[in-house]
Amino acid sequence: MIMVLTSFTHVGKTVRLKRILKNDGKAVVFAFDHGVEHGPRDFPGEKIDPRPIIEAVVEAGVDAIMMLPGMARLTYDIWAGRTAMIIKVTSKSNLRPKEERLLQSTFGYVEDAVALGADAVAATVYWGSPYEDVMLERWFSVRSAAETYGLPCLQLAYPRGPTITNRYDVEIVKYGARAAAESGADLIKTYYTGSKETFAEVVKAAAGVPVLMSGGPKREKEIEFLQDVYNVIAAGGSGVVVGRNVFQHPNPKAMMKAVIAIVHEGLTPEEAVKLIK
Ligand code: FBP
C-alpha cells in the first residue's frame, strides 16, 4: 500500500475549518469588529459593554466569533474552549476622510492570531476600491503567513468603490466572490443579493469555496433578517457572519438561537421567530 502523505498545513487548515464549519458544512459566525469599523454609535446604552454580548452568543451556541486582536484579549475568558475564534487583521475607522474609508489597514498580524489561539484569520478586500492594490498586497501577505501556520483565511469580499453604484447587485457580488476564490480564500463573506435565486449565482461563482452572508444593518423586523438567512441556506450558502442583527437586538441570545436553528436545524423563519418571543 502506498501511503499518501499530506502536508502539515493541509491537516492544520482542515482541523481548524472543522471547528468553524460543523458536520453539516455550515457555520454561524458572530461578527464583533464594529468598535473600530463604526465606532461607539453601534453600541447604544448598555450595549457598550462587550462582555454580556459575548456571553450571550456563546451561550446560544454560536460556532465562531470574528473579532479584532484587542477585543479577543479582553474577552478570552468568556469564549475560550467554548467557541472557535477568527481574528480579523484588517480594519479602518470611520473617523478617516471619506475617500480613505475605501482602504482597510493592517490591524494585527497572523502571529497575533496564532498567539491568541485563533482558528482562522480574516481580512477585508474592497474589490473596486482605488486602494485595491494595497489591500491585495496585504491579503496575500496574510494568506501566505497563515499558510505557514495552517490557519484558514476568511476574506470579507466587499465590492465598493467609485465604479460601483450598487454593491448588492448580483453581478457585482458575484465578481467579488469569484475574485475572493481566485485569491485563495478558504471562506468568503459577502453581501446578500436580495433573493435565493441571485445568491445561488454568487455561491456558484465562488466555485466551491464556502460562501457566508454578511449580516448588514439591523433590520426593522427580525423575521426579515431570518428570511434572508433561510434564503442563503436554500441557495447553497454555507452560513452567515452576523453582527448588528444580533447584538443590537434586545435579546441577542434568543436572536442568535433563532439564526442557528435555521442554519443547522432547518427551521423556517416562521418557526425560528417563535424562539425569540
Ligand atoms: P454586520 O452583521 O453588523 O453587518 O457585521 C458585518 C460587518 O462586515 C462587520 O464585520 C463590519 O464591522 C461591518 O459589517 C462593516 O460594515 P460596513 O458595511 O459599514 O463597512
Side-chain angles (χ1 to χ4, degrees):
M1 185 186 124
I2 300 171
M3 237 352 210
V4 179
L5 294 175
T6 188
S7 70
F8 286 4
T9 298
H10 174 77
V11 175
K13 271 195 177 192
T14 307
V15 167
R16 291 185 174 94
L17 271 176
K18 278 176 182 285
R19 295 187 193 134
I20 298 169
L21 295 165
K22 292 302 151 74
N23 286 340
D24 56 7
K26 299 194 174 63
V28 176
V29 181
F30 179 58
F32 201 59
D33 58 325
H34 305 66
V36 176
E37 298 260 334
H38 297 159
R41 71 150 203 239
D42 269 12
F43 310 110
E46 298 296 306
K47 300 275 183 197
I48 197 72
D49 184 352
R51 296 183 60 86
I53 295 171
I54 302 295
E55 180 61 48
V57 298
V58 170
E59 271 176 22
V62 74
D63 300 314
I65 302 179
M66 183 189 77
M67 54 171 63
L68 297 167
M71 184 56 77
R73 183 174 68 163
L74 291 170
T75 59
Y76 75 95
D77 57 307
I78 305 173
W79 52 262
R82 299 170 78 195
T83 190
M85 177 52 56
I86 303 172
I87 295 293
K88 186 161 175 254
V89 292
T90 66
S91 195
K92 60 110 180 62
S93 88
N94 265 349
L95 299 176
R96 284 182 181 185
K98 206 156 184 239
E99 336 54 88
E100 287 172 35
R101 293 183 208 158
L102 287 170
L103 169 68
Q104 289 252 337
S105 305
T106 295
F107 209 86
Y109 297 95
V110 171
E111 290 75 10
D112 295 321
V114 173
L116 287 161
D119 298 290
V121 283
T124 300
V125 178
Y126 293 141
W127 294 99
S129 158
Y131 303 105
E132 190 185 273
D133 176 52
V134 181
M135 283 177 284
L136 282 176
E137 194 59 48
R138 216 152 264 159
W139 165 259
F140 281 106
S141 67
V142 166
R143 211 206 156 280
S144 146
E147 198 73 22
T148 308
Y149 295 107
L151 278 175
C153 285
L154 180 152
Q155 184 178 119
L156 290 84
Y158 286 178
R160 55 178 83 170
T163 67
I164 294 163
T165 48
N166 176 10
R167 64 173 74 151
Y168 307 104
D169 178 86
V170 59
E171 290 307 317
I172 296 292
V173 178
K174 268 162 73 176
Y175 201 142
R178 180 54 160 255
E182 298 211 22
S183 57
D186 301 303
L187 296 165
I188 298 170
K189 171 187 184 214
T190 194
Y191 302 130
Y192 181 55
T193 46
S195 69
K196 176 182 125 184
E197 292 70 27
T198 53
F199 204 77
E201 287 188 45
V202 176
V203 171
K204 269 196 207 140
V209 180
V211 180
L212 307 164
M213 173 184 86
S214 182
K218 183 167 177 301
R219 304 289 287 267
E220 209 171 302
K221 296 190 184 131
E222 59 235 336
I223 188 103
E224 295 169 355
F225 181 70
L226 296 175
Q227 183 66 57
D228 295 350
V229 174
Y230 184 82
N231 290 351
V232 161
I233 299 303
S238 299
V240 293
V241 186
V242 50
R244 285 164 288 179
N245 275 283
V246 165
F247 71 74
Q248 292 178 348
H249 192 277
N251 188 343
K253 182 175 169 184
M255 185 60 183
M256 185 51 100
K257 276 192 169 173
V259 173
I260 293 169
I262 293 175
V263 172
H264 288 304
E265 292 153 38
L267 263 63
T268 63
E270 293 74 21
E271 289 166 336
V273 82
K274 290 190 192 138
L275 302 175
I276 302 170
K277 305 293 174 211

